Amino acid sequence: MKKLFTILTVAVSFFAIESAQAATIENNYNNENETMAVDSKTERVSAGDIEYFTYHATAGVEASILIIGDGDTDLDLYIFDCNANLIDEDTDTLDVCVCRWTPKYTGDYYVAVKNLGNVYNEFTIIAE
């Protein structure tokens, strides 16, 4: 739980979210965090919101997360390790994002998908 709190603290600071929004994000993360396996699924991120996922990776084996949005808004993708270190990010102006990294350790990595638009974005997340 301490690691989760540290990750949320860094994420909140990183995204410069006001304190009221930060409390909402922390509550949503604790209640709705999902673990990703090697597969894909469709998710929805509300306007101006962030969706979080947990991805379990193996040390020395390249990992990748791909996001393909519906084209309505800009999505950004961030990967954090369990120590709240930013591992990779894709912050261009598109809603197609990819992050690739070779994990230094086996364990959970945290994925944040941020919607920068003013409408929801339905996206497919593909984890390998």
Side-chain angles (χ1 to χ4, degrees), residues 28-43:
N28 289 345
Y29 186 86
N30 289 333
N31 293 328
E32 299 176 11
N33 190 33
E34 300 177 39
T35 300
M36 294 289 299
V38 178
D39 70 338
S40 69
K41 62 182 170 178
T42 300
E43 294 288 332

Side-chain angles (χ1 to χ4, degrees), residues 57-114:
T58 303
V61 177
E62 185 178 74
S64 67
I65 303 289
L66 171 66
I67 302 294
I68 303 170
D70 63 13
D72 289 340
T73 66
D74 177 15
L75 295 178
D76 287 347
L77 176 62
Y78 302 88
I79 310 295
F80 297 92
D81 69 11
C82 68
N83 296 314
N85 297 308
L86 180 64
I87 301 299
D88 197 9
E89 65 184 343
D90 185 334
T91 58
D92 58 21
T93 59
L94 304 174
D95 71 343
V96 176
C97 304
V98 64
C99 286
R100 288 188 177 93
W101 74 102
T102 302
K104 294 181 180 178
Y105 61 87
T106 297
D108 289 336
Y109 290 78
Y110 301 96
V111 178
V113 178
K114 183 175 183 180

